[in-house]
Amino acid sequence: MIFDTNAWVGTWPFRHLTESDAGGLVSRMDRAGIDRAVVSSIEAIFHRNPHPANERLANDIAPYGDKLVGAATINPTYPAWEDDIRDAHETLRFRAVRLFPQYHDYDIAGSLAKKVASVCAERGLIIIIPHRVEDVRQRQWMDPGKEVSLGAIADLIVAVPEATVIVPNARGIIDSPLWKREDLRERRWFVDTSLTEFLYGLHYSIDRANPMWGFFEEGGANHLLFGTHQPFSYAASALVKLATLPVDDTAREKIAWRSAVEIFGTS
């Protein structure tokens, strides 16, 4: 089994994405041998009030309930955000919330984000904070193209210890406060395989090709989930990473699906 914790449906305003509706995503998953995926609405990123996009997402993924798990986008600067979380959880039956402080203009380590994280934790909702959506080097000029500070995310995890936090699309994990702060090693936070560089530096020399191996030697497999970032990225990249990780079969299975099933409460 393979469980993708980082997928999307919808339209990205700055470039064309193929097979980006719910049916297209499921077709991509079937070709790649991916069994389940956590999905969010792309359009919701750009809405002041994202909840109508969450409602459309719920309708779009309803025919694929055995494969797709909904994640609501919440903007805590919108006055009715607490109502939106309640509706997303109780009515739409979503299991996670995505936050985009770089698009909705707030501090992920600030009081507002801490309140959102506390509300999510009380409801058992997973908090997903993408480090980035696209590489800032290829952003369209109208896209802020900012990354979320991994140090600030670490501060949020400390401030709301009962929360479960996933940071997809993350780069530089091994040198970030998420990993360097050993007081976080036992907390429930995760990164995914989508944009994490496992063999970064291979183009320089073989000696610089494995900066993440120490991550696994120190228990990093407990903080890693499988994720593809489809349809922005191809599933094959994440699948190759999964197959070549320097871990044993038990850890590989945990990364591929067991941790995700435990986190999202589904199988």
Side-chain angles (χ1 to χ4, degrees):
M1 181 176 175
I2 299 180
F3 196 137
D4 183 357
T5 58
N6 182 26
W8 312 77
V9 297
T11 301
W12 181 249
F14 307 117
R15 67 179 170 97
H16 177 64
L17 300 173
T18 60
E19 294 183 300
S20 63
D21 61 354
L25 175 62
V26 169
S27 294
R28 283 174 173 268
M29 292 167 58
D30 289 343
R31 291 197 300 270
I34 296 171
D35 300 278
R36 305 208 70 168
V38 178
V39 296
S40 300
S41 164
I42 298 173
E43 291 94 334
I45 300 172
F46 301 96
H47 291 190
R48 287 192 300 263
N49 173 17
H51 199 55
N54 295 330
E55 294 172 330
R56 290 194 299 273
L57 173 66
N59 184 66
D60 291 344
I61 68 175
Y64 309 102
D66 60 330
K67 284 184 168 289
L68 302 182
V69 178
T73 296
I74 296 296
N75 177 5
T77 70
Y78 184 73
W81 68 265
E82 291 183 87
D83 295 333
D84 294 344
I85 286 184
R86 181 176 61 250
D87 190 57
H89 186 208
E90 298 179 5
T91 303
L92 304 184
R93 312 305 296 174
F94 284 176
R95 300 178 189 177
V97 163
R98 280 212 194 219
L99 301 177
F100 297 91
Q102 71 273 52
Y103 286 92
H104 295 150
D105 195 25
Y106 61 93
D107 179 5
I108 196 59
S111 59
L112 192 55
K114 292 173 185 176
K115 186 174 182 181
V116 175
S118 296
V119 170
C120 288
E122 289 171 3
R123 289 183 170 274
L125 292 167
I126 312 307
I127 302 163
I128 304 174
I129 310 168
H131 184 209
R132 62 165 97 180
V133 179
E134 281 206 306
D135 191 319
V136 298
R137 295 170 296 182
Q138 67 184 38
R139 73 177 186 89
Q140 203 266 0
W141 66 271
M142 293 182 68
D143 180 3
K146 297 178 181 177
E147 296 180 346
V148 182
S149 165
L150 296 179
I153 294 175
D155 290 341
L156 177 68
I157 294 169
V158 170
V160 190
E162 65 274 19
T164 298
V165 178
I166 300 175
V167 188
N169 303 347
R171 300 296 293 266
I173 291 299
I174 195 69
D175 294 319
S176 77
L178 278 173
W179 193 244
K180 286 192 169 183
R181 289 184 57 168
E182 295 191 9
D183 59 318
L184 297 184
R185 295 287 174 89
E186 302 303 317
R187 299 291 177 90
R188 284 174 60 85
W189 64 266
F190 304 86
V191 295
D192 80 323
T193 57
S194 61
L195 299 183
T196 300
E197 63 281 67
F198 293 110
L199 293 176
Y200 189 76
L202 182 60
H203 54 297
Y204 294 114
S205 73
I206 190 65
D207 294 333
R208 297 176 61 183
N210 55 3
M212 288 292 287
W213 287 18
F215 175 78
F216 294 110
E217 290 172 354
E218 297 172 16
N222 294 326
H223 294 278
L224 184 64
L225 304 171
F226 179 80
T228 66
H229 194 36
Q230 293 189 94
F232 291 93
S233 300
Y234 294 110
S237 175
L239 290 167
V240 169
K241 291 177 186 179
L242 179 65
T244 58
L245 291 177
V247 297
D248 60 26
D249 289 342
T250 299
R252 197 180 322 277
E253 188 175 78
K254 187 174 184 178
I255 293 164
W257 66 274
R258 286 194 180 278
S259 289
V261 167
E262 188 271 326
I263 292 165
F264 289 96
T266 185
S267 59

